[in-house]
Every structure is written in structure tokens, then in C-alpha cells.
């Protein structure tokens, strides 16, 4: 089990200590061209989570490879995963070609940013185009909006993905006192505690469809939350919104998770892996009988 | 510059000052930092902490002035002595203190960083503006300050030829900048993290969107 950050929830150059407390650091999404991102207001808290509409602010892939990546290597001892975004399958693939460098441990394809207009190609087409040009491990970050997670995941696997990142944020809106959307973009990605049950269900559904590694994420704040994702079939865990409130969360969650596993009388995360899946399967079977 | 730390601190007292609330917590090993720097305060029951500039640094304590107008600030205002909360800081860039003839200018809850700043600058003159007599009771935190109440504006009362250090609502800061182009201004933006992670607090600086928590909150206007 590895502990990562959710893409876009940590800047390793301003907080290298936090990034180094993870098992791997995932960059903000890199797009072909530089993007300034959405105009403020970009974030809003809700009762059970937060909305963000950052809009993939990033310096573009040329500057990323030339300037940011070397600085990340200097600042960090942990492997670097690069999150890749684009508007066509070809754009994703071209960025993957540029990332064929030793410093890049893994590429995570952001197929599901709720804050930009999405690529018209399907997730599987994008994965296929990237698979054709890169030997790097390819993880596909999938939207929780998918109506049939199993079908989506099978198509992504068939296209050559090495793993899945589940889930990205849900699209949401919040209104201010004058009944206007708080965020300038109107909608944003909804994350935090409210996303937890959504993430559990998505990981559970994905795990039924594939044996690929899954980075489970969505509202994880404690070791118990991480444990539940593992029980649903996550092989790795990523922290997102909790990093905003608690930069010490990686160390804390790791300690809490070890204590949770021990209290169950288990030796390691592997012993807990997928146990929720087995329980659901057997209940379904007995109901059918 | 001192290194930010995150510690679980205890509430010493929560005191009403006019319309505002002063939350005093034990200092622990936290460094009070430079005036104008801020701390992220855990708001009980809320998902995100709230950025608050340090108002006062009494011995063994840190004190934050807040305006209880939203769910986070109301949760902070409802804290009671001995309640515990996480405090993370000091964060961001504070005021430059190498000024010859300082004048502090504050508007509303924007007076929050000025008492600690006044202490560092040996009680320079100050002009404070408030929207009501009730809000203006907070001027007690800066003895000797000139106080104006809406519709009179701080810019009506600012003497010229001074090195201005200001904090307040955006229209006030824009007006101050118009008459004091070299002023150091402390800005405000919604923040999720306070340490450069979320990119939520961007403001336009030199024609680019930059993170206020990293580049600011105090910016030189010229």
C-alpha cells in the first residue's frame, strides 16, 4: 500500500516536507499549453466538503519538463507521478511522449477534470493513444459520474492502462447570500467528506470489474477511511482535501491505518484488501438463493 | 524567517470587542512571526481551517480578532476556554518594518493585524474606519488611533507624507493605494490551505494570477 496525494492538492515546491512524507508525489495536471486557470472565486466550503474550480492552472508541458520537473527532482526523494490533461487523445499522447524521462515514475491521465470542458474522445481512446507511445506505467483517473463503472473500467483496461485512480471530484454548485453561484465558474469539483461514500462505491464497482491496481481517494481524513477504501479493493490511497486542513495528514493517516489494521488482528493491508467485496458478493448470492 | 508549525492549542479566552471577537489561545512552540503574517485556525465542525492574521502576541499567547459572519468564524467565536484547536503558522509574508514615518490604516475587521504591527513599530499614528459605533469599539485595541465612522472614510483622515501600512476591505485598499502609491497593503482572499497547496487564493499580481498565501498577504502596491 502506497500513500499519495490527489493531483492538485499539494505543491511539492512550496511544501517539499509534506510531499516527502508521501510514498509518491502526484503533480498538478500538466496540459499542452500554459493555463492561468479560472478567475477567482475558485473555492467555496460547504457543510460537508468543498468546491474548487481552479481550472488546471499550470505552466504547460514545455515549461513543466524544462523547469518544474528538475526542481521537483531536486526537492523530493520520493517518486514523481505526473498528471496529464488535454483536450484530444493526441494532446494527451504528445505529452506522454515528452514525459519519457527517468524522473517520471508514472503518468496519471486526468480523464475527468470537472472544471474544464472535457475531451470529446472517450477515456479508453485517450488511454489507447497514450499506451501506443509510452512504456511508463499509465494510471487513468476516472470520474465518479460514470453511469457504469464496470464497463468504463473494462474499456480502460482493454486500452492498456496499468492502473486506476478513483475518484475525481463530483461536479457541484453552491450559492451565496444573494443566490448567485459562489464560484466564478458557476460549478466546481466537490471533494472532502461528502465524497467518501461515492469513492467507496466506485472502488467497489471497479474492483468487481478488474484486478488492476487502484489508487482509492475521496474524502479520506483518517486511517479508518483509508482502511475502508482498501476493504473495497483499493491497493493504494491518495489524500486530497484533508491536506488543505492538515499538512501532517500523511504521517497521521499512515499511523492510524497501521493501528486500525492491528486492531482487526490483521498483519497488513493485504489481509483487509477486498473484504467488503467478498461480503457484498456473498450477500447478493444468498439473496438470489 | 520562522518556520510554520501546526500545533493543537488551548483556548485561553474568547472576548467580545464591539462587533468583533478576540480569540486568545496558548502559544505553545508557535512563533508569532512578523506582523501581517497569518495562521490557519481549525474551525470546529468545518471542513477547512480559516486564515487569520495575528492581532496580538501577549506573553505565552496568540490572539486573533475575527468578525463572526460565516459558519467558520461563528464556530471560532463559539469556542470556550480550554477548548482545543489546531493552529498552523506563521504563514505568508508580513509587513516590511524598515519604514521611516509609518502610518497604520485599517478598515473594519482589517484592523486585525494592526495592534501587533503597532507594537513592532512602537505605536505609530493610526487611522481606523468602521461602519458603526458598535464596530468602532474595536479601536480600543489601538489606543490613540484616529477613528472615523461611515460615511467618513479613512482616506478623508489620512495625513500625507507617511509610509502607509494598511489592511481593510478591497475598495478601501484601492482608495489608499490611489493616494499613497507606495503603501504596503494586506489583502484578503478565500483560502483552503494557507501554504500554497490549493491555488484557491489567487489574485492578480503584476498582471498574473498568483497565490496570495505565498506572495502575500502583504503586497507592495507600486
Amino acid at each position: 500500500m502506497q500513500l499519495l496525494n490527489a493531483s492538485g492538492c499539494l505543491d511539492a515546491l512550496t511544501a517539499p516536507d509534506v510531499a516527502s512524507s508521501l510514498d509518491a508525489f502526484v503533480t498538478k495536471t500538466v496540459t499542452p499549453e500554459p493555463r492561468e486557470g479560472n478567475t477567482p472565486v475558485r473555492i467555496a466550503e460547504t457543510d460537508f466538503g468543498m468546491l474548487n474550480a481552479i481550472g488546471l492552472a499550470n505552466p504547460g508541458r514545455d515549461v513543466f519538463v524544462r523547469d518544474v520537473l528538475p526542481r521537483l527532482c531536486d526537492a523530493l526523494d520520493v517518486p514523481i507521478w505526473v498528471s496529464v490533461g488535454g483536450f484530444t487523445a493526441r494532446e494527451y499522447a504528445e505529452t506522454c511522449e515528452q514525459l519519457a524521462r527517468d524522473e517520471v515514475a508514472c503518468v496519471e491521465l486526468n480523464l475527468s477534470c470537472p472544471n474544464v470542458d472535457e475531451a470529446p474522445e472517450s477515456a479508453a481512446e485517450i488511454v489507447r493513444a497514450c499506451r501506443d507511445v509510452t512504456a511508463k506505467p499509465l494510471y487513468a483517473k476516472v470520474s465518479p459520474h460514470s453511469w457504469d463503472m464496470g464497463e468504463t473500467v473494462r474499456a480502460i483496461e482493454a486500452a492498456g492502462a496499468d492502473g486506476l485512480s478513483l475518484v475525481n471530484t463530483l461536479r457541484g454548485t453552491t450559492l451565496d447570500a444573494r443566490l448567485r453561484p459562489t464560484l466564478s465558474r458557476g460549478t466546481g469539483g466537490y471533494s472532502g467528506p461528502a465524497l467518501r461514500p461515492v469513492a467507496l462505491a466506485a472502488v467497489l464497482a471497479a474492483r468487481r470489474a478488474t484486478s488492476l491496481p487502484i489508487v482509492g481517494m475521496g474524502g479520506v481524513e483518517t486511517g479508518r477511511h483509508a482502511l475502508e477504501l482498501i476493504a473495497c479493493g483499493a491497493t493504494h490511497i491518495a489524500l486530497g482535501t484533508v491536506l488543505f486542513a492538515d499538512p501532517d495528514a500523511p504521517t497521521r493517516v499512515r499511523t492510524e491505518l497501521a493501528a486500525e489494521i492491528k486492531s482487526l488482528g490483521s498483519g497488513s493491508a493485504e489481509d483487509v484488501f477486498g473484504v467488503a467485496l467478498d461480503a457484498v458478493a456473498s450477500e447478493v448470492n444468498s439473496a438470489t438463493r | 524567517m520562522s518556520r510554520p508549525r501546526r500545533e493543537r492549542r488551548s483556548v485561553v479566552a474568547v472576548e467580545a470587542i464591539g462587533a468583533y471577537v478576540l480569540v486568545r489561545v496558548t502559544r505553545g512552540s508557535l512563533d508569532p512571526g512578523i506582523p501581517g503574517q497569518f495562521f490557519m485556525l481549525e474551525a470546529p465542525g468545518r471542513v477547512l481551517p480559516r486564515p487569520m492574521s495575528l492581532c496580538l502576541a501577549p506573553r505565552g499567547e496568540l490572539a486573533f480578532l475575527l468578525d463572526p459572519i460565516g459558519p467558520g468564524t461563528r464556530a471560532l467565536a463559539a469556542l470556550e476556554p480550554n477548548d482545543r484547536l489546531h493552529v498552523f503558522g506563521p504563514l505568508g509574508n508580513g509587513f516590511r518594518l524598515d519604514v521611516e514615518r509609518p502610518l497604520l490604516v485599517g478598515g473594519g475587521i482589517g484592523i486585525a493585524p494592526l495592534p501587533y504591527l503597532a507594537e513592532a513599530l512602537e505605536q505609530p499614528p493610526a487611522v481606523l474606519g468602521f461602519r458603526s459605533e458598535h464596530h468602532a469599539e474595536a479601536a480600543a485595541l489601538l489606543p490613540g488611533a484616529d477613528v472615523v465612522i461611515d460615511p467618513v472614510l479613512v482616506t478623508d483622515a489620512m495625513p500625507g507624507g507617511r509610509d502607509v501600512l494598511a489592511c481593510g476591505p478591497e475598495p478601501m485598499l484601492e482608495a489608499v493605494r490611489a493616494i499613497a502609491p507606495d503603501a504596503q497593503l494586506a489583502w484578503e482572499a478565500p483560502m483552503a490551505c494557507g501554504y500554497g497547496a490549493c491555488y484557491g487564493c489567487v489574485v492578480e499580481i503584476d498582471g498574473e494570477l498568483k497565490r496570495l498565501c505565498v506572495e502575500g498577504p502583504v503586497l507592495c502596491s507600486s
Side-chain angles (χ1 to χ4, degrees):
Chain A
M1 203 284 297
Q2 292 194 25
L3 192 62
L4 298 83
N5 63 293
S7 172
C9 296
L10 186 62
D11 178 355
L13 294 179
T14 54
D17 296 355
V18 180
S20 295
S21 68
L22 298 158
D23 296 308
F25 168 71
V26 187
T27 68
K28 274 182 77 67
T29 295
V30 178
T31 55
E33 298 299 322
R35 291 175 58 89
E36 194 166 42
N38 295 322
T39 52
V41 176
R42 289 177 167 192
I43 55 167
E45 190 195 53
T46 72
D47 283 344
F48 307 106
M50 71 172 285
L51 292 166
N52 86 80
I54 308 303
L56 302 186
N58 82 99
R61 64 190 173 201
D62 292 345
V63 173
F64 175 81
V65 169
R66 192 186 65 225
D67 177 36
V68 180
L69 194 53
R71 288 164 64 207
L72 284 172
C73 287
D74 286 345
L76 299 179
D77 292 327
V78 297
I80 296 166
W81 291 32
V82 180
S83 171
V84 171
F87 298 95
T88 64
R90 192 172 156 198
E91 285 185 348
Y92 278 88
E94 286 168 355
T95 305
C96 285
E97 284 181 303
Q98 270 183 271
L99 294 173
R101 311 169 66 93
D102 290 345
E103 308 93 290
V104 179
C106 182
V107 171
E108 181 181 83
L109 302 173
N110 181 356
L111 306 173
S112 48
C113 177
N115 293 324
V116 295
D117 301 317
E118 287 182 23
E121 279 101 333
S122 74
E125 282 176 88
I126 294 168
V127 173
R128 170 82 60 201
C130 296
R131 180 76 294 160
D132 287 345
V133 299
T134 185
K136 291 282 180 201
L138 273 182
Y139 274 63
K141 187 160 183 182
V142 179
S143 164
H145 289 286
S146 174
W147 69 275
D148 184 338
M149 188 57 75
E151 187 181 295
T152 303
V153 162
R154 277 187 291 268
I156 287 171
E157 182 173 15
D162 299 299
L164 302 164
S165 297
L166 285 172
V167 291
N168 209 323
T169 53
L170 283 166
R171 191 173 293 115
T173 295
T174 184
L175 304 183
D176 66 15
R178 298 172 308 145
L179 302 178
R180 312 237 169 91
T182 315
L183 300 175
S184 298
R185 190 179 154 84
T187 62
Y190 191 29
S191 66
L195 201 54
R196 232 162 20 230
V198 177
L200 291 175
V203 171
L204 206 58
R207 181 49 75 213
R208 281 207 195 91
T210 181
S211 57
L212 289 179
I214 296 176
V215 183
M217 69 191 89
V220 175
E221 291 183 328
T222 66
R224 170 71 197 193
H225 301 151
L227 185 75
E228 291 187 7
L229 276 168
I230 294 167
C232 286
T235 42
H236 307 297
I237 299 294
L239 304 178
T241 302
V242 70
L243 289 170
F244 299 153
D246 180 7
D248 301 326
T251 307
R252 179 177 56 75
V253 168
R254 212 190 305 264
T255 307
E256 290 171 356
L257 177 61
E260 290 280 352
I261 290 170
K262 200 175 166 194
S263 75
L264 292 173
S266 306
S268 71
E270 281 72 38
D271 298 332
V272 184
F273 172 76
V275 297
L277 198 76
D278 301 339
V280 173
S282 57
E283 273 165 35
V284 170
N285 288 343
S286 58
T288 314
R289 278 197 299 271
Chain B
M1 211 160 66
S2 55
R3 202 175 166 75
R5 295 171 60 93
R6 184 170 181 270
E7 291 185 1
R8 195 147 176 256
R9 305 306 333 154
S10 296
V11 174
V12 175
V14 178
E15 297 161 355
I17 301 185
Y20 306 109
V21 172
L22 189 72
V23 177
R24 292 165 47 198
V25 303
T26 56
R27 188 186 292 192
S29 318
L30 297 172
D31 189 306
I34 297 161
Q37 285 191 289
F38 66 96
F39 291 76
M40 297 302 286
L41 304 192
E42 176 187 3
R46 304 304 303 177
V47 175
L48 299 173
R50 295 299 192 270
M52 298 289 161
S53 50
L54 187 67
C55 180
L56 286 165
R59 180 179 295 271
E61 293 182 19
L62 301 173
F64 304 92
L65 189 69
L66 53 93
D67 193 1
I69 52 163
T73 44
R74 282 197 297 267
L76 284 164
L79 286 166
E80 294 186 355
N82 300 319
D83 282 351
R84 314 258 289 170
L85 74 158
H86 281 101
V87 179
F88 176 39
L91 298 161
N93 296 311
F95 290 99
R96 276 191 298 103
L97 302 177
D98 57 341
V99 287
E100 280 176 17
R101 303 188 70 212
L103 172 70
L104 312 190
V105 178
I109 188 58
I111 71 159
L114 302 188
Y116 182 45
L117 177 61
E119 208 177 282
L121 293 174
E122 293 167 355
Q123 311 301 333
V127 179
L128 308 178
F130 295 94
R131 84 185 87 136
S132 74
E133 294 277 358
H134 183 46
H135 288 85
E137 287 172 39
L141 290 164
L142 274 163
D146 285 339
V147 177
V148 298
I149 291 171
D150 193 59
V152 183
L153 304 176
V154 287
T155 42
D156 299 330
M158 277 171 57
R162 289 282 183 165
D163 300 309
V164 175
L165 304 95
C167 184
E170 208 170 305
M172 184 202 96
L173 294 181
E174 297 288 2
V176 167
R177 167 155 66 181
I179 57 173
D182 297 327
Q184 297 182 57
L185 307 175
W187 300 82
E188 191 178 44
M191 279 176 196
C193 70
Y195 70 99
C198 75
Y199 284 76
C201 66
V202 293
V203 293
E204 195 176 316
I205 300 170
D206 303 329
E208 280 179 64
L209 290 176
K210 293 185 182 173
R211 292 168 291 185
L212 191 68
C213 69
V214 174
E215 308 284 335
V218 178
L219 301 171
C220 236
S221 59
S222 55

